[in-house]
Amino acid sequence: MKKRNLLIIGMMMAAMTLGAIGCGGTDGTETTDSSQETTASDETEPETEEADAEETDGEEAEPVNLLIAAAASLEYSMEDELIPMFEEQNPGITVEGTYDSSGKLQTQIEEGLDADVFFSAATKQMDALAEEGLVEESSVKDLLENKIVLIVLKGQEGNYSKFEDIANASTVALGDPASVPAGQYAQEALGNLGLWDAVSAKASFGTNVTEVLNWVAEGSADAGVVYATDAATKEDTVSVVAEAPADSLAEPVIYPVGLVENSTKKDAAEKFMEFLSSDDAAAVFEKYGFTVNQ
């Protein structure tokens, strides 16, 4: 009886030992499984990170809308070719232009116009905004050069052969020197030629150079002074008599471009300014009669 009891106790202890071994005990089986699971997890992590990176790269950038305040004489080149070209090269960036005399645009920027880039037809307005801290001075580039020319209605060239012959016209169209750079250049040139008083007495003053051009093209004025680039857009209706004499202007007609200080889209605005300095843009400007300033 005693032997039987001992046998039963021995069997129970053996069963308990086997159970402990089956549960993992201390023989390292569980540790090995855990290590394998950790290794497998580590191997899958890079795939997850790569997938996350691919997802991030695939995210589309937020669309950006830029507003460019540009001189009226730039409207045709900007709207017809330059803006569409830039937008095609930079998906997600849309560019809108507002065009007027540089003086008016200067005032609008001073009054809070939400423009990103200012493209002036003269250095005077750009310099003023830079001094006021409204344009980043370090961003300003003297990009283009233009000429001022005497124009008349096509077919009416008989009384005109040189710039000074504007004095022969009964009615004259000029930009308002108070705000229109083309008018300021005309006043300077005619003043240096001793003709300002006589010509201004029979002049109508336009609010921008496009208005002056249209007055001559429509026959409302016998003659006018505009940029060479503007005259080229109406070559079917107006004739260029002559450029202003070189010594009638102290400085060439320069078009500077600059980044508006308060722009909230400066990365996109800087891209647009870089584009304006590209070879592609230069070819367009030259097509419209501008000279790229070196």
Side-chain angles (χ1 to χ4, degrees):
M1 185 69 176
K2 187 181 291 185
K3 290 182 179 180
R4 184 180 177 185
N5 291 339
L6 289 173
L7 180 60
I8 292 171
I9 293 170
M11 291 176 64
M12 290 175 64
M13 292 180 65
M16 292 174 63
T17 301
L18 288 172
I21 293 172
C23 290
T26 58
D27 67 352
T29 304
E30 186 174 349
T31 303
T32 302
D33 291 343
S34 174
S35 175
Q36 289 175 348
E37 289 174 5
T38 302
T39 302
S41 175
D42 290 342
E43 288 175 354
T44 60
E45 271 187 27
E47 295 179 4
T48 303
E49 291 173 0
E50 184 177 347
D52 290 343
E54 289 176 358
E55 184 178 343
T56 301
D57 292 341
E59 290 180 358
E60 294 185 2
E62 289 290 327
V64 177
N65 296 313
L66 291 179
L67 178 61
I68 312 304
S73 50
L74 289 161
E75 183 171 3
Y76 290 104
S77 59
M78 296 284 279
E79 292 294 323
D80 294 347
E81 298 198 43
L82 291 169
I83 288 176
M85 186 185 298
F86 174 79
E87 290 178 339
E88 183 177 354
Q89 295 176 9
N90 297 271
I93 303 179
T94 301
V95 180
E96 179 184 353
T98 180
Y99 307 96
D100 212 320
S101 71
S102 300
K104 281 190 175 181
L105 295 174
Q106 174 193 343
T107 299
Q108 290 171 14
I109 291 172
E110 290 169 337
E111 293 176 349
L113 177 67
D114 190 22
D116 301 289
V117 173
F118 179 43
F119 203 165
S120 177
T123 57
K124 176 182 177 180
Q125 291 76 20
M126 185 68 75
D127 291 345
L129 289 176
E131 288 174 6
E132 295 167 17
L134 296 175
V135 164
E136 286 190 8
E137 188 171 1
S138 61
S139 74
V140 176
K141 180 174 182 179
D142 292 342
L143 189 61
L144 304 174
E145 183 177 345
N146 209 339
K147 305 289 185 183
I148 58 168
V149 297
L150 170 63
I151 60 169
V152 297
L153 186 66
K154 191 170 283 293
Q156 302 298 317
E157 300 90 349
N159 294 326
Y160 311 92
S161 61
K162 57 186 183 296
F163 190 84
E164 293 89 327
D165 287 341
I166 190 173
N168 297 333
S170 298
T171 55
V172 176
L174 300 172
D176 185 351
S179 61
V180 183
Q184 293 162 5
Y185 289 125
Q187 182 180 36
E188 179 185 357
L190 293 170
N192 288 332
L193 293 170
L195 298 172
W196 175 248
D197 289 342
V199 172
S200 62
K202 51 187 173 182
S204 296
F205 295 100
T207 59
N208 57 56
V209 72
T210 303
E211 189 171 32
V212 173
L213 176 67
N214 289 335
W215 284 345
V216 177
E218 295 164 0
S220 300
D222 296 331
V225 177
V226 298
Y227 295 119
T229 52
D230 293 287
T233 67
K234 295 279 190 181
E235 58 185 4
D236 292 338
T237 52
V238 303
S239 293
V240 174
V241 174
E243 293 180 4
D247 58 358
S248 66
L249 294 175
E251 300 289 340
V253 179
I254 296 297
Y255 282 51
V257 61
L259 185 66
V260 177
E261 180 66 46
N262 292 332
S263 170
T264 58
K265 309 151 195 172
K266 288 186 177 177
D267 288 344
E270 287 172 353
K271 279 187 179 181
F272 186 71
M273 288 183 58
E274 288 172 6
F275 165 75
L276 292 177
S277 298
S278 69
D279 291 340
D280 287 343
V284 173
F285 284 128
E286 289 170 355
K287 173 182 173 182
Y288 281 81
F290 292 98
T291 300
V292 177
N293 193 40
Q294 303 297 330

